[in-house]
Amino acid sequence: MAKAPVLTPQAEDFPRWYQDLINKAELADNGPVRGTMVIRPYGYGLWERMQQDMDARIKAEGVQNAYFPLFIPQSYLTKEAEHVEGFAPELAIVTHGGGKKLEEPVVVRPTSETIINEYFAKWVQSYRDLPLLINQWANVVRWELRPRLFLRTSEFLWQEGHTAHATYEDARDFASRIHRHVYADFMENVLAMDVVLGRKTAKERFAGAVNTLTLEGMMGDGKALQLGTSHELGQNFARAFNTQFLSREGKQELVWQTSWGSTTRMVGALVMMHGDDSGLRIPPRLAPVQAVVLAIKGDEAVLAKAREIGDRLAAAGVRVQVDDRTDTPFGRRAVDWELKGVPVRIEVGPRDLEGGTAMVARRIPGGKEPVRLDALPDLLPKVLEEDQALLLRQARERRAARTTDVRTVEEAAEAAAAGGWARIPWADLGPEGEAALAEQAVSVRCLVAEDGSVPDADDAPGNVAFVARAY
């Protein structure tokens, strides 16, 4: 009888494969309240690595971290009509506290534009106070009707940046800089994710924004996932909260603002973009553990050599872990590390010691080969960079192979239904075609200029729409 696979094969049931992998790679569990999640240590380790890298990039742009309250007076959200309308279906509202009914209900933070503007209006007095560049790492709550771990949960972790500027141009350029130099650079060069940088249509943009810049990725099943957004808020919130400054010319003017965010959804995207039927494949630049040294047997000489290899690799700059749990069968440990997507396994047993070699298994391209022990410290850093580049190349090749150029709404819907993306001139689609696609659960993910850049306006000549089913 054939041995049952550890995971449901992707081709058989991609959503089930995803759930299996989240569980068996020990990334997360469902929380006790519907739509919440418990992030397990291995999953949180991935988020921590993401957070640390992103935080450094954000600070390099001159942004400072702060923290704002989880509870927001409900009246704050009503000040910007489009904003409250956009978030109303997702709000969690507290009406009682300390055993008493509250004088005013409070909203559990869905996003912080309103409460941050309350304080920006106090802190900004003069052009000398601008630009004001703030970021916070926090949790948010958006009551999710169709939860899925990491992708859509009622509570999730994120960073949200909020800035105020003296001019429209400064705000526009800062939103673009975050979009490209923080988000896109991180996703491509650390997460090895292929992302399309574009502009959301008026229908899809953030509630209260005048422009939303997005990064869209194709998952392993051909669906799209929004991976981060950067918004130009114009003066909408400044007007609502009277956030003004005294200009150089001595006039009272409203500030121009941006907001931008990325979330733990990136962990789910990592699973779906790079994972295969054997488990995760973690990009080496992200991986908390880049190489694991497995002692095959509990022989003292083997254990000593495994630890020595670990020390030498650590000295070479490799994030390494020695697995000397020889009371657990070797096969089970090897499968567990494969599920977790550690880029390289180095397997050491008595016969390897005799030959002065170790068996090196590379998770990303696959395959095993013996390598001289003295060659490992020089080899591993090169191998890890090769595999980092391979993941990004594979993701790009998949999107290219599964993206179809079309000219009609019907052709776009067919391409999306077939498990791919459609690329269609916006002039051929337009808002009416976008509405027709929405009836078939297909959305315009973003608009891109003819030369691949992000367009300045929805209706700019030559704009192309990327169309897909989405998570």
Side-chain angles (χ1 to χ4, degrees), residues 215-354:
L215 302 100
E216 303 287 330
M218 178 185 282
M219 303 298 103
D221 61 351
K223 288 185 178 179
L225 187 68
Q226 178 180 289
L227 296 170
T229 48
S230 184
H231 314 290
E232 297 173 37
L233 301 179
Q235 294 180 311
N236 289 343
F237 289 91
R239 193 171 293 111
F241 287 83
N242 197 31
T243 310
Q244 297 187 65
F245 69 101
L246 187 67
S247 72
R248 290 178 184 273
E249 293 73 32
K251 296 179 181 179
Q252 287 291 331
E253 298 183 16
L254 295 172
V255 299
W256 298 84
Q257 292 182 269
T258 77
S259 68
W260 27 277
S262 61
T263 79
T264 38
R265 175 180 286 189
M266 288 190 293
V267 178
L270 193 80
V271 174
M272 294 197 297
M273 187 176 286
H274 296 321
D276 62 18
D277 284 345
S278 296
L280 298 171
R281 294 192 303 163
I282 304 297
R285 292 180 188 170
L286 175 75
V289 179
Q290 295 174 313
V292 60
V293 184
L294 278 83
I296 295 176
K297 292 190 176 179
D299 179 284
E300 281 303 318
V302 169
L303 292 171
K305 183 57 71 174
R307 291 163 187 154
E308 179 190 321
I309 293 169
D311 290 342
R312 292 181 65 197
L313 290 177
V318 176
R319 294 188 292 276
V320 62
Q321 181 170 330
V322 176
D323 184 346
D324 55 6
R325 301 169 298 155
T326 52
D327 55 343
T328 300
F330 167 75
R332 176 178 172 182
R333 288 184 289 141
V335 168
D336 283 348
W337 287 115
E338 190 165 57
L339 278 167
K340 286 182 163 63
V342 171
V344 175
R345 294 197 317 274
I346 300 166
E347 301 169 356
V348 184
R351 280 182 292 181
D352 300 300
L353 293 189
E354 291 175 8

Side-chain angles (χ1 to χ4, degrees), residues 155-174:
E155 179 191 10
F156 54 89
L157 306 180
W158 77 346
Q159 60 73 212
E160 53 175 319
H162 299 267
T163 70
H165 304 260
T167 68
Y168 160 74
E169 290 78 12
D170 283 350
R172 178 200 61 197
D173 293 347
F174 196 83

Side-chain angles (χ1 to χ4, degrees), residues 197-226:
L197 281 69
R199 175 189 179 102
K200 286 290 189 184
T201 63
K203 177 180 181 296
E204 294 289 333
R205 74 173 60 121
F206 178 72
V210 298
N211 183 29
T212 289
L213 305 175
T214 184
L215 302 100
E216 303 287 330
M218 178 185 282
M219 303 298 103
D221 61 351
K223 288 185 178 179
L225 187 68
Q226 178 180 289

Side-chain angles (χ1 to χ4, degrees), residues 380-454:
L380 261 289
K382 297 174 185 176
V383 160
L384 293 170
E385 282 303 297
E386 288 176 7
D387 293 353
Q388 178 82 25
L390 176 61
L391 273 182
L392 180 57
R393 186 164 66 250
Q394 289 176 341
R396 285 176 171 164
E397 289 171 352
R398 177 173 59 239
R399 178 168 64 88
R402 299 177 71 170
T403 300
T404 306
D405 287 309
V406 302
R407 297 304 297 254
T408 68
V409 171
E410 293 73 22
E411 289 173 341
E414 287 173 10
W421 290 11
R423 190 168 43 211
I424 181 171
W426 179 242
D428 292 342
L429 186 64
E432 290 184 4
E434 182 178 21
L437 286 173
E439 293 177 0
Q440 302 178 63
V442 176
S443 59
V444 175
R445 304 312 306 159
C446 62
L447 300 176
V448 176
E450 203 166 19
D451 62 1
S453 63
V454 179

